[in-house]
Amino acid sequence: MKIFKLLIFVLSIVYQSHSQTTIQWKEQHPGIWKAIVGKPEKITLLSAANAKPNINALSNLPKTSFPLDKPDIKVEIIDHKTYLRFPLEKEEQIFGLGLNFQTVNQRGRILNLHVDHYGGKDNGRTHAPVPFYVSSKGYGVLIDVARYITVYAGTAIRTDAKHPPVLRDRNTDKQWEAQPYSDAIEILIPAEGANIYVFGGPTPMNVVQRYNLMNGGGYLPPKWGLGFTQRVPTLYSQDDILKEVKSFEEHHFPLDFIGVEPGWHSMAYPCTFEWDKSRFPDPKGFLQTLAQKGISANLWLNPFVSPVGSLYPKIKPYTGSHTVWNGIVPDFTMPQARQLFKDHFMKHHLSIGVGGYKIDEVDGFDSWLWPDVATFPSGTTAEQMRQTYGLMVQNMTGSWYKEINKRTYGLVRASNAGASNFPYVIYNDYYSHKDFITALVNSSFIGVLWTPEVRASKTAEEWVRRMQSVCFSPMAMLNAWADGTKPWSFPEVEQAVNDVANLRMQLLPYLYSAFAQYHFEGKPPFRAMNLVEGFGFKSTTEAGTFDATANPYAMTIKKDIKDQYMMGDFVLVAPMFAGEKSRDVYLPQGKWYDFYTGQLVGENQVIKVTPALDKIPLFVKDGGIIPMIPVRQRAPKANETLPLTVRHYGTAPNSLQLYDDDGTSFDYEKGQYSFTKLAVTKTTDGKLRGEIATPPTGKPFGYTKEIKWEFMTSPTN
Ligand code: GAL
């Protein structure tokens, strides 16, 4: 009997340290299945983000069944860690897995997903290392764990692989590959369990929609958030800022919000969150003066609390074991820490009109941030804290604005899964223009927004090219914190820069409607081409050329389409980069037209374009409908009624739902919004005719009903 008991005991230990678990999938929301494997931790990414699903919108998506063969998904718990395996088919491409800057298709890569500043390599250390991937086959997977997980995205080959690679002899076979074919994604989670989600499609876009809607739908910025923003040098005073605003007016340059950098604090790095009396003697009056001009202010901060600030003694008991620049680190998993921040911020900022925040340094440089050996009073580990801090500060600050029924739109340097509904755009200090565009492409797979901010440039050409792409991004921002650059700093391209900022302002009704799609349908406003139906171009591999020093094994080189994207349903953006006079543009199926001239440029093909310096290449899909307003320096305000010009491109009849609301409050959540159909039909004699539906009565609609229709493409085109 004793021996029997001992055997049971030994077997249970063996079982615990190495157990293959069967996975129970439960349909959590339409087309989204959840499995709880092992013992998931209490703190997860989604619990930190605290997002609420939009059940209604989810149920409007196409019906779909579980997208994978369930037995092909395997899990084992070994040595207190979770080993996960998902199948991969031959032609599958894998998108997402964090905010990557250089690659789009992650198949064949190993990523250790870890919140960090971007260090120049797509290795998983990034501002938003979201453990979510979208397959080109039309399904998605999310691993909801606040740990540094490692993803082998089609790199590892098991002895029991269902589809093993072909055995080749490197001595004689030219097709030998250093990285043979792998039929699985394997994931190592340093925890004894996890919540896993599988998302159905059928299309990759449907997968992304489900992911975003499960997280509350995309954030709808206030209208002013989509205007232009200038961030001023660190030590600017309130008078300097008012002078800056004046010079924007003199240059007729749009300006909706102004970014106030560290100098507003009485001490920064660590921060007091208190106004510096010498530079900002009258913060309330200053904010009021800005508000009278229709301008909002955004305050920079990092959350590390300075010993000389009034928050310090109160929050000390709710902070971690380590300091950052001598500041203490609030444990935001604790309600007490959140409440103290809220009381302080509400009293000193929100109540006097601060429009939002730029939350810096929550991503980290390992040598600055709290180390992984830090401890926190709630018992949350340093690793969990690192993975969720960005989410928590976004959630916390976002909820304050919700409480006062005022929309905000700010900046943050760290995020993770569950962030779709947060009022924040990610930015960083890295400054490769091309990589910034690839980050914009990748942001669309993982429910975050990204700005390719402009700071400085070596040449006028670079300046105008950067300004053009930032004006076609979620936040049109010049971040002049270090050197005080102005949009007109390169006089030779001042007009071109002004033109593109004006064009952004004209396009606000279109852009706002694209953000409404993000909110109500989960479709990202700026989209990777791989999310566009009819985009037939896959990432390709190029045979590597032998080079004794650079490529001695003649390794193949993978090529992604990573420098063009869609803004909304109709506009394809193909930015230009300094030094390049022409570029290739990949056009999806269907006819495409030049935005500026309305002329046909091609369909389902690669075209070469050679744009003038003052034009960012833009193409519109056949049937594209683009509502525009006259050039203006501020985004529309709630009480305005504006004339609309609606452009139509190509020859196809089509329609667009023009979205509107008051532009500033959350009343749209209570039904205070309108969708008004703008339709182009063909009359019996073959002519195109534009028509606007009657806007719903009693709902916000800030446009005159007389519309100027512009048919951009001549019928003979
Ligand atoms: C950096 C941030 C910059 C700027 C600067 C001010 O960390 O990325 O955009 O805000 O701090 O010190």
Side-chain angles (χ1 to χ4, degrees):
M1 195 60 191
K2 258 194 187 151
I3 288 184
F4 183 68
K5 269 193 181 155
L6 191 70
L7 193 67
I8 298 272
F9 178 71
V10 169
L11 278 178
S12 75
I13 301 255
V14 170
Y15 180 77
Q16 267 173 27
S17 66
H18 187 142
S19 69
Q20 179 121 16
T21 321
T22 46
I23 309 177
Q24 300 291 333
W25 293 100
K26 188 171 167 265
E27 191 162 6
Q28 181 97 346
H29 304 294
I32 305 176
W33 291 264
K34 180 181 179 183
I36 302 173
V37 304
K39 283 179 256 147
E41 295 180 315
K42 209 170 132 237
I43 293 182
T44 73
L45 302 175
L46 296 188
S47 77
N50 195 27
K52 304 278 174 292
N54 182 340
I55 309 274
N56 249 340
L58 277 167
S59 55
N60 288 336
L61 289 174
K63 295 256 165 308
T64 177
S65 51
F66 195 86
L68 293 163
D69 264 347
K70 286 182 185 163
D72 285 347
I73 308 172
K74 309 257 197 250
V75 62
E76 281 178 274
I77 316 267
I78 301 171
D79 187 24
H80 307 287
K81 299 188 182 84
T82 307
Y83 292 39
L84 264 176
R85 191 183 344 154
F86 284 88
L88 272 184
E89 282 185 13
K90 189 106 199 163
E91 295 300 319
E92 236 176 306
Q93 302 176 79
I94 296 298
F95 307 116
L97 294 173
L99 189 64
N100 289 302
F101 286 72
Q102 293 174 347
T103 53
V104 177
N105 179 8
Q106 298 306 317
R107 185 161 185 166
R109 308 183 60 78
I110 301 170
L111 299 139
N112 182 242
L113 299 175
H114 187 312
V115 171
D116 202 349
H117 73 284
Y118 180 69
K121 280 201 177 110
D122 287 359
N123 57 10
R125 280 193 176 240
T126 182
H127 306 271
V130 183
F132 173 61
Y133 65 83
V134 183
S135 159
S136 55
K137 281 194 64 209
Y139 70 89
V141 174
L142 168 69
I143 314 295
D144 180 22
V145 184
R147 291 281 173 189
Y148 307 145
I149 72 173
T150 308
V151 181
Y152 300 86
T155 58
I157 300 133
R158 305 179 65 96
T159 52
D160 62 353
K162 247 192 183 173
H163 308 283
V166 179
L167 175 68
R168 296 186 192 278
D169 178 358
R170 205 182 119 198
N171 290 335
T172 53
D173 190 341
K174 279 215 153 44
Q175 285 189 48
W176 179 92
E177 280 175 306
Q179 192 179 325
Y181 168 73
S182 156
D183 66 355
I185 293 197
E186 298 198 69
I187 303 168
L188 179 66
I189 304 169
E192 274 178 302
N195 295 324
I196 307 164
Y197 296 82
V198 165
F199 298 75
T203 65
M205 176 59 104
N206 293 147
V207 174
V208 169
Q209 287 179 274
R210 284 185 216 276
Y211 172 82
N212 286 329
L213 291 171
M214 184 176 97
N215 296 316
Y219 186 72
L220 184 62
K223 285 186 185 171
W224 59 257
L226 300 179
F228 193 82
T229 180
Q230 171 86 358
R231 302 202 68 87
V232 298
T234 299
L235 291 179
Y236 260 32
S237 66
Q238 63 179 66
D239 287 346
D240 296 331
I241 294 176
L242 294 176
K243 274 190 216 131
E244 182 95 338
V245 168
K246 196 152 174 272
S247 60
F248 267 73
E249 283 161 2
E250 283 159 8
H251 282 88
H252 305 287
F253 204 91
L255 182 67
D256 268 285
F257 60 117
I258 199 125
V260 192
E261 287 286 313
W264 72 271
H265 294 262
S266 56
M267 175 192 267
Y269 295 85
C271 297
T272 55
F273 318 105
E274 278 155 10
W275 297 92
D276 179 84
K277 292 205 175 64
S278 61
R279 287 182 290 273
F280 292 85
D282 176 19
K284 192 172 174 184
F286 161 66
L287 292 168
Q288 271 167 2
T289 311
L290 284 182
Q292 277 154 15
K293 292 176 174 293
I295 291 171
S296 174
N298 172 291
L299 301 184
W300 173 99
L301 63 92
N302 64 49
F304 312 120
V305 184
S306 164
V308 304
S310 62
L311 248 179
Y312 186 91
K314 294 184 245 173
I315 206 158
K316 182 86 180 50
Y318 312 109
T319 56
S321 57
H322 287 65
T323 58
V324 180
W325 301 300
N326 279 316
I328 46 176
V329 182
D331 181 341
F332 286 127
T333 65
M334 302 183 78
Q336 297 93 327
R338 297 199 298 268
Q339 188 63 43
L340 287 164
F341 254 65
K342 180 178 174 187
D343 293 346
H344 182 98
F345 280 57
M346 282 283 195
K347 180 164 167 217
H348 298 288
H349 313 155
L350 274 74
S351 69
I352 59 167
V354 167
Y357 295 99
K358 167 176 172 179
I359 308 177
D360 208 23
E361 308 290 359
V362 283
D363 49 342
F365 272 76
D366 283 355
S367 47
W368 298 344
L369 219 64
W370 63 84
D372 284 351
V373 293
T375 55
F376 288 87
S378 62
T380 306
T381 67
E383 178 180 348
Q384 292 170 323
M385 206 55 111
R386 181 85 174 253
Q387 296 295 69
T388 57
Y389 216 77
L391 292 173
M392 289 192 289
V393 292
Q394 292 181 76
N395 184 29
M396 175 177 76
T397 49
S399 70
W400 303 336
Y401 280 95
K402 191 100 191 242
E403 207 171 298
I404 60 168
N405 196 24
K406 199 171 142 178
R407 275 183 259 168
T408 179
Y409 196 47
L411 292 147
V412 72
R413 243 178 42 192
S415 198
N416 217 322
S420 320
N421 200 237
F422 289 149
Y424 285 96
V425 179
I426 306 172
Y427 67 99
N428 73 3
D429 285 347
Y430 182 76
Y431 203 48
S432 155
H433 187 189
K434 278 198 174 165
D435 293 0
F436 269 18
I437 300 306
T438 303
L440 182 53
V441 167
N442 282 324
S443 65
S444 65
F445 298 118
I446 54 171
V448 297
L449 300 172
W450 161 260
T451 174
E453 68 169 38
V454 179
R455 292 199 289 271
S457 288
K458 291 209 170 60
T459 62
E461 183 200 7
E462 183 189 344
W463 185 249
V464 70
R465 291 311 189 192
R466 281 185 181 272
M467 285 297 261
Q468 286 168 346
S469 39
V470 87
C471 285
F472 281 85
S473 83
M475 193 181 277
M477 171 168 69
L478 200 174
N479 179 11
W481 74 275
D483 63 359
T485 336
K486 315 277 180 247
W488 47 89
S489 281
F490 290 88
E492 57 274 54
V493 291
E494 177 173 353
Q495 192 55 50
V497 168
N498 221 323
D499 286 350
V500 73
N502 288 343
L503 180 56
R504 175 166 177 113
M505 299 306 284
Q506 287 186 275
L507 286 169
L508 283 180
Y510 174 76
L511 190 54
Y512 200 49
S513 298
F515 269 93
Q517 278 190 319
Y518 189 31
H519 180 72
F520 290 96
E521 296 169 47
K523 287 187 181 167
F526 293 85
R527 304 172 191 163
M529 298 310 298
N530 306 82
L531 292 176
V532 177
E533 262 181 272
F535 183 67
F537 302 93
K538 296 209 174 93
S539 69
T540 52
T541 45
E542 230 175 46
T545 351
F546 171 80
D547 179 320
T549 49
N551 198 3
Y553 297 103
M555 300 262 277
T556 49
I557 300 157
K558 260 208 341 226
K559 288 184 111 190
D560 281 325
I561 288 127
K562 55 184 182 179
D563 59 358
Q564 62 176 76
Y565 53 91
M566 294 294 296
M567 179 169 94
D569 285 338
F570 299 131
V571 180
L572 190 161
V573 186
M576 292 298 295
F577 305 98
E580 296 178 7
K581 301 289 170 238
S582 65
R583 62 158 292 162
D584 286 348
V585 183
Y586 291 77
L587 300 173
Q589 279 163 25
K591 292 190 166 70
W592 290 81
Y593 298 84
D594 182 285
F595 173 84
Y596 304 97
T597 64
Q599 286 192 354
L600 179 68
V601 289
E603 63 180 302
N604 200 25
Q605 70 190 90
V606 186
I607 56 166
K608 195 175 253 343
V609 293
T610 311
L613 185 61
D614 64 351
K615 297 271 183 307
I616 176 170
L618 300 172
F619 305 97
V620 186
K621 201 174 162 173
D622 192 11
I625 294 178
I626 321 275
M628 295 169 75
I629 48 175
V631 170
R632 49 190 291 124
Q633 273 77 55
R634 305 275 182 270
K637 306 283 180 207
N639 53 4
E640 285 184 275
T641 308
L642 302 170
L644 266 184
T645 296
V646 182
R647 290 189 179 183
H648 173 272
Y649 288 83
T651 55
N654 209 348
S655 66
L656 172 122
Q657 291 288 350
L658 175 67
Y659 175 77
D660 206 14
D661 60 19
D662 67 16
T664 57
S665 80
F666 287 94
D667 292 354
Y668 68 90
E669 290 188 343
K670 298 181 208 110
Q672 281 311 306
Y673 65 86
S674 60
F675 276 110
T676 305
K677 191 170 172 182
L678 299 171
V680 169
T681 50
K682 243 184 203 154
T683 55
T684 39
D685 57 356
K687 285 211 180 93
L688 292 174
R689 201 169 65 110
E691 214 179 353
I692 179 167
T694 313
T697 43
K699 306 284 182 189
F701 182 75
Y703 305 103
T704 53
K705 282 170 217 160
E706 284 69 49
I707 287 182
K708 188 173 162 226
W709 289 90
E710 275 181 8
F711 294 97
M712 295 295 291
T713 306
S714 79
T716 49
N717 210 300

